[in-house]
Amino acid sequence: GAARRWIETVRPTRVCTTILDTATRQTTELVENAGPLTDSELQQFAAAFAELAATARLAVLTGSLTEGAPSTFVRDLAAPAPCPVLLDIRGPELLAALTCRPLLVKPNRQELAATLGRDLRDDEHLHAAMHELNERGAQWVVITSGAAPAWASSQGRLYRFATQPVDVQNPIGSGDCLMAGLAWGLLEGMEPPAAICLGIAAAAENVTRLLPADVDVPRVLRRRASVTYAAV
């Protein structure tokens, strides 16, 4: 039931094949690299985004750029947006977009290490990297690492988030569900730490389902009670 705006492209921009082995509970995702888009297609996308962002309460930009797209593409989308922007991106495009002071950025731990080009072998190095993103412009930084506790930082403060173990069926799409739950919480008026808890509950619910993002909202809300956080 979500409204959507499609931009027709000559080449497919996202082709994923997920293989689920029910005997071993192994999940394999085959992601084909996206081919380049034309300048016209990129301009059409930017124009559509600007039109929708003009009346939006919140914007979420997530995923990877197509081959040949400038690393400043996300920044150029986010900078003029009149609403708060959440980013689930990585690499040069994340670093470029920090100058527009996004409300929140959410790479995972591995993506953050690759973005900054250094090993985040322990929590001390992780926290230093998170604070660096804050200093570069991110108002909130959220870092996930699978089933391990998530971390958030803002204005020199650190928060640790934990939830109860779940029966994993398929982890694909959990990052997207986390961002969706987080955005939902913010739109409901929650402070960022509480919204992050709702996002983590959505991600935890997602991994228990066979199909990605096939989550049950009442179950997400009940699971929210099992997510805890503390300033450290």
Side-chain angles (χ1 to χ4, degrees):
R4 60 265 188 202
R5 177 81 62 84
W6 297 113
I7 305 300
E8 295 290 340
T9 60
V10 175
R11 297 180 179 88
T13 57
R14 185 73 168 178
V15 179
C16 301
T17 302
T18 302
I19 302 170
L20 303 175
D21 188 330
T22 55
T24 63
R25 289 193 169 183
Q26 291 288 323
T27 303
T28 303
E29 187 176 33
L30 308 177
V31 182
E32 298 181 32
N33 292 332
L37 299 182
T38 66
D39 290 341
S40 174
E41 290 166 350
L42 290 171
Q43 290 167 8
Q44 288 179 63
F45 183 91
F49 178 84
E51 179 183 339
L52 295 170
T55 57
R57 295 169 57 198
L58 193 71
V60 179
L61 288 163
T62 180
S64 55
L65 295 177
T66 56
E67 179 185 340
S71 61
T72 57
F73 187 72
V74 174
R75 181 201 67 190
D76 295 341
L77 292 175
C83 59
V85 176
L86 312 182
L87 301 177
D88 187 1
I89 59 177
R90 60 188 182 278
E93 53 265 45
L94 172 57
L95 296 179
L98 294 176
T99 59
C100 66
R101 290 190 52 77
L103 174 60
L104 184 145
V105 301
K106 192 207 72 64
N108 63 38
R109 188 168 186 151
Q110 186 177 20
E111 290 169 342
L112 179 59
T115 296
L116 296 178
R118 61 177 185 262
D119 182 19
L120 304 180
R121 58 186 176 275
D122 54 36
D123 286 343
E124 182 179 357
H125 287 82
L126 173 65
H127 299 160
M130 294 170 64
H131 288 311
E132 181 176 334
L133 295 192
N134 290 133
E135 292 166 0
R136 291 193 183 198
Q139 298 178 53
W140 282 85
V141 176
V142 177
I143 304 297
T144 57
S145 185
W151 292 91
S153 64
S154 180
Q155 298 182 337
R157 300 175 182 173
L158 272 171
Y159 302 83
R160 183 180 184 273
F161 297 79
T163 189
Q164 296 176 352
V166 297
D167 182 23
V168 177
Q169 294 291 329
N170 182 9
I172 303 300
S174 295
D176 295 322
C177 288
L178 193 153
M179 283 298 280
L182 198 163
W184 177 28
L186 292 174
L187 290 175
E188 290 295 313
M190 297 180 186
E191 292 297 316
I196 294 167
C197 287
L198 185 59
I200 291 173
E205 174 65 16
N206 179 70
V207 303
T208 69
R209 314 286 285 191
L210 185 63
L211 298 178
D214 181 29
V215 297
D216 181 80
V217 172
R219 285 172 59 92
V220 171
L221 294 174
R222 290 194 296 271
R223 195 178 292 280
R224 162 64 183 85
S226 68
V227 183
T228 60
Y229 76 92
V232 297

